[in-house]
Amino acid sequence: MSDPDISVVICVYTEDRWEDILAAVASVRTQSYPALETLLVVDHNATLLDRLTKEYKEVGEVRVFANAGPRGLSAGRNTGIAAAHGEVIAFLDDDAVAERDWLRHFAAAYADPRVMAVGGHTVPIWASGRRPAWFPEEFDWVVGCTYKGIPSGLVRVRNVLGGNASFRRSAFDAAGGFATGIGRDGDKRPLGCEETELCIRLSRARPDAVLLIDDRAVIHHRVPEAREHFGYFRTRAYAEGLSKALVARSVGADKGLESERRYATRVLPAGVVRGLRDAALARPGGAGRAGAIVAGVLTAAGGYVVGTLRARRGGATFSVAEIEGERDG
């Protein structure tokens, strides 16, 4: 498939991000490879839905929808998938902006018919203007960004990261949509991993599927001041453990934790060594980074244990949505 039509889905939930939402949409509308359409999916917020509908009523390539499923990011994405007309569906966070060639790099990868998903590179924009000295790059996934340990270039991966990703429409025909009950729900506990679960499920449904990350497909993601603190770091790491337990329950621990084992046994120990070396050389933040890595691992492991026990007792549930098809705007 050459020059695929690409629909871009942006899920939104709060008026607090109004300026960010407008910036995200503007970054899509100025792509060097034009999007077929931009779909804004509003998560159970009637005021925001009405405001966005009025904002874009004269803009034909921007369509606004209410989340047709339960509250949360997964159902919002599924609503966007069902409404999209493109052969490829890309997802952009509501507090991120895409570089001009973002969609061009996505589109190029789909020339290979085996490619079912393509992700990109997400760069943090720290509210304070700079990375906190204690914050390890190995844990940038905590703030929704590409983390140290992901291979560079155009590489094959187990899963893409949901805030900067695209899928061939036929991927959802084969595997279904995003699972509800795993991912984020507004400002509640910051769960995740719904894209990991989907990608593993896709690879099982289509063993020939190729999933890629192209680090030239860049977006810039805002990190609010509240997420620059260790309290959020710890909360997000714990939530990741809970989410990984659900993923392992869905697809098995062998695939569900395959990439995590390499990350935990190679990437993180190397990060601790770098931090301790920097501390020995009196470089700022070295000891803090080493300590944060250790704390993050232990906290995520604790979340995984708790999540596994809950799943065994039937206290945590999720479901995979079937995508019904396109909706009329």
Side-chain angles (χ1 to χ4, degrees):
M1 179 175 71
S2 60
D3 298 332
D5 288 332
I6 303 179
S7 299
V8 177
V9 174
I10 303 173
C11 295
V12 303
Y13 70 97
T14 176
E15 286 186 275
D16 293 343
R17 292 185 176 180
W18 179 257
E19 295 299 329
D20 290 336
I21 295 168
L22 299 186
V25 173
S27 75
V28 175
R29 296 185 66 200
T30 56
Q31 288 291 299
S32 62
Y33 185 100
L36 175 67
E37 58 189 350
T38 302
L39 285 72
L40 290 169
V41 182
V42 184
D43 193 15
H44 298 267
N45 184 329
T47 302
L48 179 58
L49 178 67
D50 181 64
R51 190 177 178 186
L52 285 170
T53 300
K54 291 176 180 176
E55 178 73 22
Y56 292 107
K57 66 180 180 180
E58 304 296 334
V59 184
E61 72 270 24
V62 179
R63 299 193 287 151
V64 181
F65 296 88
N67 180 0
R71 187 182 300 274
L73 181 58
S74 290
R77 286 172 173 165
N78 291 337
T79 297
I81 295 164
H85 298 129
E87 301 162 81
V88 169
I89 302 167
F91 298 93
L92 179 66
D93 277 347
D94 63 343
D95 53 356
V97 292
E99 291 192 358
R100 181 171 167 75
D101 291 330
W102 178 59
L103 291 182
R104 182 175 299 282
H105 293 303
F106 279 171
Y110 287 104
D112 182 343
R114 300 172 302 162
V115 173
M116 288 286 115
V118 186
H121 184 82
T122 302
V123 179
I125 305 174
W126 302 96
S128 61
R130 57 191 296 181
R131 171 186 297 275
W134 64 269
F135 203 114
E137 292 181 44
E138 292 83 359
F139 273 78
D140 276 6
W141 54 264
V142 164
V143 291
C145 296
T146 301
Y147 56 91
K148 191 177 188 68
I150 292 182
S152 59
L154 178 63
V155 292
R156 191 166 181 172
V157 292
R158 180 195 65 180
N159 64 274
V160 297
L161 304 179
N164 179 8
S166 63
F167 292 84
R168 205 183 287 273
R169 169 173 286 280
S170 56
F172 302 110
D173 297 333
F178 289 92
T180 58
I182 294 182
R184 285 179 180 264
D185 178 359
D187 289 318
K188 294 184 179 180
R189 176 171 282 162
L191 299 173
C193 298
E194 65 274 17
E195 66 275 0
T196 300
E197 193 275 341
L198 169 63
C199 288
I200 295 172
R201 189 165 15 100
L202 171 60
S203 294
R204 287 186 169 179
R206 290 283 304 271
D208 61 331
V210 173
L211 286 66
L212 300 172
I213 284 181
D214 187 340
D215 64 8
R216 298 171 301 173
V218 177
I219 70 168
H220 298 263
H221 185 274
R222 284 190 179 276
V223 180
E225 192 273 339
R227 297 185 183 183
E228 295 187 8
H229 300 289
F230 184 71
Y232 180 82
F233 178 92
R234 184 176 54 197
T235 299
R236 178 69 184 88
Y238 180 76
E240 183 77 0
L242 293 176
S243 300
K244 281 292 190 295
L246 281 175
V247 172
R249 181 186 177 199
S250 171
V251 299
D254 56 337
K255 285 293 182 183
L257 300 177
E258 183 179 53
S259 294
E260 288 72 15
R261 290 191 185 97
R262 175 189 173 276
Y263 172 72
T265 58
R266 298 183 185 179
V267 176
L268 295 185
V272 171
V273 170
R274 277 193 299 273
L276 294 176
R277 181 189 62 203
D278 287 348
L281 295 173
R283 293 171 180 167
R289 289 194 300 275
I293 291 173
V294 173
V297 170
L298 294 176
T299 305
Y304 182 82
V305 171
V306 171
T308 300
L309 293 174
R310 286 180 182 175
R312 287 176 180 173
R313 292 197 300 261
T317 61
F318 64 93
S319 59
V320 176
E322 294 295 328
I323 305 299
E324 297 179 358
E326 296 179 0
R327 303 171 191 266
D328 292 328

